[in-house]
Amino acid sequence: MTRSRNSAGTRPDSGSVSARNLSTLVRISVLVAASMALFLFESLIPAPLPWLKPGLANLGTVVTLYLFGARAAMLVAFLRSVLSALVLGTFLNPVFLFSLCGGMAAAAIMGLVKHRWSGVFSAIGISVLGAYAHNLTQLLLASLLFVNKIQALYLMPVMLVSALFSGSLVGIFAHYLVNIAREILPNGSMAPRVSH
Amino acid sequence: MRFGELFAVTTAGDRILLLFLLVVSSFSIFWINGLTAAGHSAEIVGAAGTRFDRLLSESGEFAVPGPLGVTRIRIEKGALQVVHSDCPAKVCERQGQISRVGQVIVCVPNRVVVSIQGGQSNKFDAITE
């Protein structure tokens, strides 16, 4: 679509504008693919409890948030959940609902906090907030969907304490990844100059 | 990567947030414990729908038969645990002790379900007037 509009463009500089859009599109696609890879890798690790996962997929969301902003982070979280569910065969079942709502809530909270209190938290704090948003959303869903609310509550302390550690770990990874990406990419997150 | 370098990365906001969440998360363990009542009795459902209750106040050990063998259940000091099961994975044994209302141990291979019931455990499915 971008290409056809590009070739049909009337303004002479429209080519470089869409090259920039295209470059952003490609980078966000790579981040979706990377999040998916982490998510699928994580689903292969045997866990002591079905819901106790390190939440590595959130790494893709945090990196996207820092490089491309909140809207792109929401998009990456959404696409990662849908596409991973299609690969795993869990599309539209309760597992998918948990993954989608958790991922989207995490992206929304992280985007909001980073926008409102810019500079108060580093990637580590943002990532921990995302991990908590993810887990609390899933607990809320569990208590809404399941009949026995008490049993969902038993998971809460375990989930919250593990979210603290996994969130910090993901935040540390994200901090270094964002730094590396900003060194490699000219103008931070912006598309590189395109020479034809 | 040294720890000092990592510490320098975190902002004051980060440190306050992490400390706050650590305290809240740790205290949620006690909060959950207070929220849920100690169990009164255990309901054991075996294979073929056999069903019976045991009081948690009465210590003892008993066996529930299933398709793979027996599941031995011990009640001690108000808590219940599966001490032996003939199933291959032994997931039920590793669940440890349960004592709070709503907690369950399920042995899928041997078809045994144990759940802790509250003090006013209703023996009826529904009551109408």
Side-chain angles (χ1 to χ4, degrees), chain A residues 14 22 40 42 71 79 105 111 119 153 180 187:
Chain A
S14 67
L22 188 64
L40 296 175
E42 197 174 67
R71 214 172 291 175
L79 288 175
L153 277 179
I180 291 166
N187 303 326

Side-chain angles (χ1 to χ4, degrees), chain B residues 41-59:
Chain B
S41 62
E43 185 190 67
I44 297 106
V45 180
T50 53
R51 174 190 292 253
F52 57 97
D53 285 346
R54 283 293 166 105
L55 287 174
L56 285 180
S57 50
E58 294 170 10
S59 297

